[in-house]
Amino acid sequence: MFRHAMVTGALLFGLLGLADQPRAAEPQRIVSVGGALTEILFRLDVQDRLVGVDTTSQWPSEAEALPQVGYQRALAAEGLLSLSPDLVLATEAAGPPAVIEQIRATGVEVRIIHGDPSPEGLVEKIRAVAEAVGRPAAGAALAEEVAEKMRRVEARLGEVSDRPSVVFLLSAARGSPMAAGRDTAADAAIRLAAGLNPLAAEMVGYKPLNTESMIGAAPDVILLTDRTLEGLGGIEGVLALPGVSLTPAGRHRRIAAMDDLYLLGFGPRLPAAIADLAAELHPRLAPETRLGLGRMDPSR
Amino acid sequence: MKARALALRFGLVTGSGTDPRMRFGRAPLVLIGLSLGLALMSIVALSVGAVEIAPTRVIAILAHGLGLDLPWAFEPEQAAVLGAIRAPRILLAILVGAALAVSGAAMQGLFRNPLADPALLGVSAGAALAAVSVIVLGATLLSGLTRILGTATLPIAAFGGSLVATLLVHRLASRDGHTAVATLLLAGIAINAIAGAATGVLTFVADDNQLRTLTFWTMGSLGGATWSTVAVGAPLILAAIVLIPLHARALNAILLGESEARHLGFEPERVKTLLVILVALAVGTAVALSGIIGFIGLVVPHLLRLTIGPDHRWLLPGSALLGAILLLGADLIARTLVAPAELPIGIVTALLGGPFFLWLLASRRGRGF
């Protein structure tokens, strides 16, 4: 069955001459572990080779119809291999390490795609993914396009003089919301959108929100993911959190929410996501900040 | 008089009228049945999984491994999955299941209490805490330790953690050779809470890389089985599984009461110390290899007592077999139900074990053993 599909695929591929630079063995059955990687694969137009994705791959919506390999940190070796992949693309978050080892032990290539949450990291990710699937030319074009859009957003934001302070909240499955410190995708996104994360100085990673430090941080805006907003019971729920009413954000009801993959995934939609966030942070800039990028936020 | 009859029945003394039921009782048959069951379950577990491999091919692959070529063709991918993933995982399930069940049976005998279970009494949590400490602090505070012990650091640390927890529970709950149920459970709850809190503190300071490893610990999974982890764990667990049943008669004697055990020529204190160390070794290693898996140690000895009675000479080996069968079955569900993803095995054992435990409480109220 598997071999049959391989042969048919290879034949079709060879006949149609679709590759931009045909190579001996291009991966035909890819499992993607990481929402941003899946987005890049779709943008490179190789989604027909995707045979499985993880739970974070929620965009574009076609990705959600693919077989689910589960949560990226708790992968199952045999389950993943049952999709007969010839390439597993994964972020550094993929695990557990032993499972990655097992998959490699059976001879399946596992390519860990690095890239910190930054425009440079995104370009790096696009190039690495494109290289892994044998589409370097398409990858270079996409990387250039994204970098160009990002430059335009940054140029426009360079003129902004005020930097509103933004506290980012994320709710895990249960318990109180966590706030983002430095070395987080949320912190990087806030900085890119010409905002200031007052918690970055004293906190690393996501830590349970301390009411008093939030009041002390006096954020102008409280930023959350759509899912967190929903979990807390909408804007009113956020305003009702202890301490929020004592911050400028609470007083002026400046609560912003965005889709988590869109804002924190640092995938190909990053320029639009940053532009959207900037529009929330700098209302007076809003009309021009859009830069004709179009509203690509899937959540609204 | 009653004690004498019990002692006879447990083979602690020999009398002219040895109970004939002991020689031709149900227990040996049950044990033979369990052995066959384990063999059957292993074959089923080996043939079923997310990757489809027909039983004939499984046999062909195994035979090929032994140098025999059978007429059933198989793909190299199938051989790789079977050899590198499924086989070590099945061995790990057998080892861990047997270790947890034997430990549960031994603890229940030791504490003369049917509620004793490694997970319930904090023994697993102690092992997990030690393991988590090694993961989070291994590169900094405990770097000396990891340098000396290398890859064995984790199982050894887990053994240490479970040993401390077992000794603590034992010390807290034992008064003049008796363990009070309430104190025992409260001690277990306290140790679970403390170990849980300390683990929480460690997750707080852990970086993203370490958190990834931690998730695996707290949920319990056999998914990390490789030949090297099995090779590290097997000797330690097998030693415990073989040595614990050697104290079956002593446990039977303790069941009658510690002074009675002394009259029969056993040294309860020495037996207890030995068993505590062996249980800690088995549970610690099991936790180090697969995280915390609950209910096996609690449910298995109970099931067996209902079928073959409380004699530890049958109960201990029987528990090892049934524990292995149950964990194999639970893991089979865990890795096939939501394929290509998988369920944490702790969820499966809790789903199977939780209701059973409630039923047990409801149906056997007021009866100890």
Side-chain angles (χ1 to χ4, degrees), chain B:
Chain B
M1 196 59 237
K2 187 165 167 263
R4 162 101 189 141
L6 269 173
L8 259 177
R9 221 192 116 197
F10 283 159
L12 298 171
V13 292
T14 44
S16 48
T18 310
D19 189 342
R21 273 178 314 170
M22 273 317 299
R23 269 180 301 172
F24 305 104
R26 208 163 21 157
L29 290 176
V30 170
L31 241 59
I32 291 165
L34 285 174
S35 310
L36 292 174
L38 181 58
L40 191 69
M41 195 69 191
S42 307
I43 293 166
V44 170
L46 209 50
S47 325
V48 179
V51 175
E52 266 186 55
I53 310 175
T56 49
R57 299 225 165 98
V58 172
I59 295 163
I61 292 167
L62 294 178
H64 181 79
L66 299 170
L68 288 167
D69 277 317
L70 296 177
W72 298 298
F74 56 84
E75 306 282 340
E77 294 85 19
Q78 294 179 320
V81 165
L82 200 69
I85 294 170
R86 218 179 275 172
R89 184 166 183 158
I90 282 159
L91 283 175
L92 188 66
I94 292 173
L95 286 170
V96 170
L100 293 174
V102 167
S103 305
M107 281 176 91
Q108 288 170 14
L110 202 60
F111 291 127
R112 297 167 64 192
N113 190 307
L115 280 179
D117 162 74
L120 214 58
L121 298 188
V123 180
S124 303
L129 172 59
V132 167
S133 308
V134 167
I135 292 167
V136 178
L137 309 172
T140 51
L141 282 180
L142 306 173
S143 58
L145 190 71
T146 44
R147 235 198 326 272
I148 297 163
L149 300 173
T151 47
T153 315
L154 214 56
I156 289 171
F159 166 55
S162 57
L163 189 62
V164 170
T166 320
L167 288 172
L168 258 175
V169 169
H170 189 244
R171 206 34 70 76
L172 285 168
S174 298
R175 285 281 152 75
D176 341 310
H178 287 279
T179 45
V181 192
T183 326
L184 188 71
L185 288 179
L186 289 172
I189 288 169
I191 287 180
N192 268 324
I194 293 165
T199 307
V201 168
L202 288 169
T203 45
F204 194 81
V205 298
D207 65 28
D208 203 56
N209 250 333
Q210 295 161 342
L211 276 176
R212 230 177 302 162
T213 326
L214 292 185
T215 324
F216 158 84
W217 281 95
T218 41
M219 302 218 281
S221 165
L222 296 164
T226 57
W227 286 112
S228 58
T229 55
V230 171
V232 168
L236 300 171
I237 288 182
L238 283 175
I241 293 175
V242 169
L243 293 174
I244 289 174
L246 296 183
H247 300 282
R249 291 175 68 248
L251 276 170
N252 284 346
I254 289 172
L255 219 52
L256 302 175
E258 299 209 5
S259 53
E260 286 85 346
R262 255 186 297 275
H263 288 310
L264 290 164
F266 294 100
E267 295 174 58
E269 286 314 311
R270 210 181 65 95
V271 172
K272 275 186 178 179
T273 311
L274 265 174
L275 278 173
V276 161
I277 291 171
L278 288 173
V279 163
L281 179 67
V283 174
T285 312
V287 169
L289 296 178
S290 58
I292 298 181
I293 298 173
F295 285 105
I296 297 281
L298 183 69
V299 166
V300 169
H302 270 290
L303 274 175
L304 275 170
R305 259 189 234 102
L306 294 175
T307 1
I308 61 172
D311 186 346
H312 286 94
R313 286 172 305 170
W314 304 109
L315 190 64
L316 292 170
S319 291
L321 290 168
L322 187 58
I325 293 173
L326 277 188
L327 198 59
L328 260 181
D331 188 49
L332 188 61
I333 293 171
R335 63 194 171 86
T336 52
L337 202 65
V338 294
E342 74 177 56
L343 288 167
I345 190 146
I347 292 179
V348 182
T349 52
L351 277 177
L352 298 174
F356 172 81
F357 188 51
L358 281 176
W359 168 81
L360 205 76
L361 287 177
S363 66
R364 298 178 66 80
R365 256 184 317 196
R367 280 189 279 174
F369 271 82

Side-chain angles (χ1 to χ4, degrees), chain A residues 100-164:
Chain A
I100 303 289
E101 281 315 301
Q102 288 175 340
I103 296 169
R104 284 195 170 129
T106 64
V108 172
E109 189 187 358
V110 180
R111 192 76 75 90
I112 303 295
I113 306 291
H114 302 278
D116 52 352
S118 69
E120 300 74 35
L122 168 57
V123 165
E124 204 181 311
K125 264 191 295 207
I126 293 172
R127 288 186 191 284
V129 171
E131 198 265 318
V133 299
R135 288 289 176 90
L142 177 61
E144 187 40 51
E145 179 198 330
V146 170
E148 169 56 27
K149 280 182 177 169
M150 206 60 230
R151 277 195 293 274
R152 274 158 50 204
V153 175
E154 281 169 345
R156 188 79 189 91
L157 286 170
E159 302 161 22
V160 173
S161 52
D162 66 316
R163 300 210 173 264

